[in-house]
């Protein structure tokens, strides 16, 4: 049974559109918690849902500009989101610590390292080479984690 037939059968509505766009939102884990916080703090459910749609999704009218950010939004989309601001559900992640990085190596790549070590018959030269190259590619987040770890060692 199509949705149109189902609506006509189960509804007292006389003006049922022949076609429509169905939106289904799924919020998981931290984003679901953040949405619940907004609602608890007084944001209406409708505003919260439309606000997250406004933040994360946009239906566009194809334009000639190569930059899609300059394409116009579909009129029906603008009408749906009229009078609602953007509602962001992302949470800034805390910086990873040296302990976090060590745990990641243990859980994710230690079997691979062990396989290579066995294949190399215990020779660690390949690992030293990789570590030297890696030390030249440390990002600021790595340097910050090192500094934080060293401070903890001297405290």
């Amino acid at each position: 049974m199509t949705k149109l037939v189902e609506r006509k059968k189960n509804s007292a509505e006389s003006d049922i559109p022949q076609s429509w766009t169905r939106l289904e939102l799924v919020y998981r884990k931290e984003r679901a918690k953040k949405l619940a916080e907004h609602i608890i703090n007084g944001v209406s459910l409708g505003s919260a849902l439309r606000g997250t749609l406004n933040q994360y999704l946009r239906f566009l009218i194809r334009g000639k500009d190569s930059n899609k950010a300059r394409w116009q939004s579909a009129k029906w989309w603008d009408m749906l989101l009229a009078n609602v601001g953007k509602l962001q559900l992302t949470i800034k992640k805390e910086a990873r610590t040296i302990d976090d990085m060590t745990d990641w190596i243990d859980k994710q790549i230690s079997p691979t390292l062990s396989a290579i070590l066995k294949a190399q018959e215990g020779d660690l030269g390949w690992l030293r080479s990789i570590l030297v190259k890696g030390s030249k590619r440390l990002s600021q987040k790595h340097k910050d984690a090192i500094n934080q770890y060293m401070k903890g060692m001297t405290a």
Side-chain angles (χ1 to χ4, degrees):
M1 177 182 314
T2 68
K3 192 67 176 172
L4 178 61
V5 172
E6 182 182 331
R7 279 194 66 188
K8 284 183 178 181
K9 178 181 172 190
N10 298 328
S11 177
E13 292 179 63
S14 59
D15 188 25
I16 298 174
Q18 293 295 310
S19 64
W20 57 85
T21 301
R22 174 183 168 165
L23 296 172
E24 184 173 321
L25 304 174
V26 177
Y27 298 88
R28 292 188 175 97
K29 298 180 182 180
E30 294 302 317
R31 287 188 180 196
K33 290 177 188 174
K34 193 74 171 171
L35 177 69
E37 286 176 21
H38 284 296
I39 294 168
I40 289 168
N41 291 326
V43 176
S44 73
L45 179 61
S47 292
L49 297 177
R50 291 185 316 129
T52 56
L53 284 172
N54 197 8
Q55 174 68 28
Y56 297 106
L57 188 60
R58 197 169 152 228
F59 287 88
L60 304 173
I61 298 171
R62 184 178 299 274
K64 294 180 181 179
D65 196 319
S66 62
N67 184 343
K68 292 179 184 177
R70 291 191 283 258
W71 291 2
Q72 289 186 344
S73 295
K75 286 182 176 53
W76 65 269
W77 188 248
D78 286 339
M79 288 174 50
L80 176 68
L81 301 179
N83 304 319
V84 68
K86 293 182 176 188
L87 186 64
Q88 191 169 2
L89 299 179
T90 54
I91 299 164
K92 186 176 179 180
K93 291 184 179 180
E94 290 189 30
R96 290 180 54 193
T97 65
I98 294 296
D99 290 336
D100 294 334
M101 293 176 197
T102 302
D103 288 344
W104 178 79
I105 287 174
D106 182 32
K107 291 175 185 166
Q108 299 297 322
I109 64 170
S110 62
T112 301
L113 291 173
S114 294
I116 296 169
L117 186 61
K118 281 186 188 266
Q120 297 286 339
E121 298 179 337
D123 178 22
L124 293 173
W126 63 272
L127 183 56
R128 284 187 201 95
S129 175
I130 289 172
L131 295 174
V132 168
K133 285 190 282 185
S135 69
K136 295 174 184 167
R137 296 177 21 224
L138 292 175
S139 69
Q140 189 59 49
K141 73 176 182 181
H142 295 119
K143 293 173 186 174
D144 291 345
I146 293 166
N147 290 333
Q148 191 67 27
Y149 185 79
M150 299 305 281
K151 286 180 187 173
M153 297 296 289
T154 59

